[in-house]
Amino acid sequence: MKVLVIDIGGTNVKVASTDNLVPIKIPSGPTMTAEQMTTDVLAATKGWAYDCVSIGYPGPVVHHRPIAEPHNLGGGWVDFPYEKAFGKPLRFINDAAMQALGGYKSGRMLFLGTGTGLGSAMIVDGLVISLELAHLPYKKGLTYEEYIGLAGLERRGVKRWRKSVLDIISRLKAAMVCETVLLGGGNAKMMKDLPDHVILGANTNAIDGGIKLWQDGSTSPKQKNPAKKASKS
């Protein structure tokens, strides 16, 4: 089975497939709607052969459908007819959960994705659990995302940002009782001197996770999603 993988981010939409593992980038940003994303992806992948589609979505997902609009993109994502637009069977997963799935090895693992925002997920003995930690309060009336997302990096500088990343990793690892933390996202490469229990994510994690979504259930971790919508901050 050949899979088209779409990883939706606040800066770029990354698109790859089983036959095209090196992703192409489509600029996104605060004005990109679901309809525009679909149009751009179909145009960029014209001529590609695939049997099904995996979409990593920057927000909560339940039963392979987004249940809330994304914070860093345009509108129209919740009710868009994705399967009709692509004409293929389609599975949604939170984008952080998709990256976590691609980098998971064993045991209890927390994933944190430091990009435009802050993605989070856990995998516990093969069960994928999407989390919404980004907008929880952290310090000085600001959230985790406001400290170690892109805005926090630009506001506070790299050195202070790195210190906050390590502090947040330590707090959340303890709270989630995890053995390892997978650190991904576009800004993770800026980190230095990571503790032994922190693994730097590979660029291929999201694509690998999207492909794993369609593998046989006996070898692919099951997905569990939050039952309630995340409130916007």
Side-chain angles (χ1 to χ4, degrees):
M1 181 176 286
K2 296 183 179 181
V3 186
L4 177 69
V5 182
I6 304 169
D7 181 22
I8 302 170
T11 303
N12 292 292
V13 176
K14 297 179 182 179
V15 188
S17 73
T18 306
D19 294 334
N20 301 273
L21 293 174
V22 179
I24 59 175
K25 293 183 180 180
I26 300 170
S28 55
T31 63
M32 174 167 273
T33 64
E35 182 176 9
Q36 186 63 54
M37 180 278 293
T38 304
T39 299
D40 290 350
V41 169
L42 287 172
T45 59
K46 187 176 181 180
W48 290 21
Y50 52 91
D51 304 302
C52 53
V53 182
S54 293
I55 297 182
Y57 179 73
V61 174
V62 170
H63 303 308
H64 295 287
R65 295 290 305 181
I67 63 169
E69 296 293 320
H71 290 273
N72 299 313
L73 299 170
W77 295 86
V78 172
D79 297 319
F80 187 79
Y82 297 95
E83 286 201 9
K84 181 179 178 181
F86 284 99
K88 303 287 184 181
L90 185 144
R91 293 181 179 176
F92 262 85
I93 186 172
N94 173 265
D95 59 341
M98 190 163 78
Q99 290 187 57
L101 178 55
Y104 176 72
K105 301 300 181 184
S106 63
R108 297 175 62 94
M109 185 194 81
L110 173 67
F111 171 84
L112 295 174
T114 57
T116 306
L118 176 65
S120 56
M122 272 188 69
I123 301 185
V124 181
D125 298 329
L127 178 65
V128 183
I129 306 170
S130 298
L131 303 175
E132 289 291 327
L133 302 177
H135 304 289
L136 294 177
Y138 175 48
K139 288 182 178 180
K140 299 180 180 179
L142 299 178
T143 65
Y144 287 116
E145 180 173 277
E146 288 170 324
Y147 259 80
I148 64 172
L150 180 59
L153 172 60
E154 292 176 342
R155 183 182 71 254
R156 304 177 66 242
V158 174
K159 289 185 178 180
R160 294 171 69 194
W161 176 84
R162 285 178 184 148
K163 184 177 179 180
S164 295
V165 170
L166 291 175
D167 180 57
I168 288 171
I169 286 174
S170 177
R171 290 171 184 245
L172 294 179
K173 177 180 178 293
M176 301 298 175
V177 196
C178 292
E179 297 151 5
T180 58
V181 176
L182 179 64
L183 184 65
N187 296 323
K189 60 182 178 293
M190 296 186 184
M191 291 299 296
K192 293 182 178 179
D193 302 321
L194 290 170
D196 291 341
H197 60 265
V198 180
I199 304 163
L200 196 62
N203 292 332
T204 59
N205 284 162
I207 307 307
D208 293 342
I211 293 172
K212 283 183 180 180
L213 271 184
W214 291 91
Q215 291 179 349
D216 182 83
S218 63
T219 59
S220 179
K222 296 177 181 179
Q223 180 186 355
K224 183 176 181 180
N225 293 291
K228 296 182 180 180
K229 293 185 180 181
S231 60
K232 291 186 177 181
S233 62

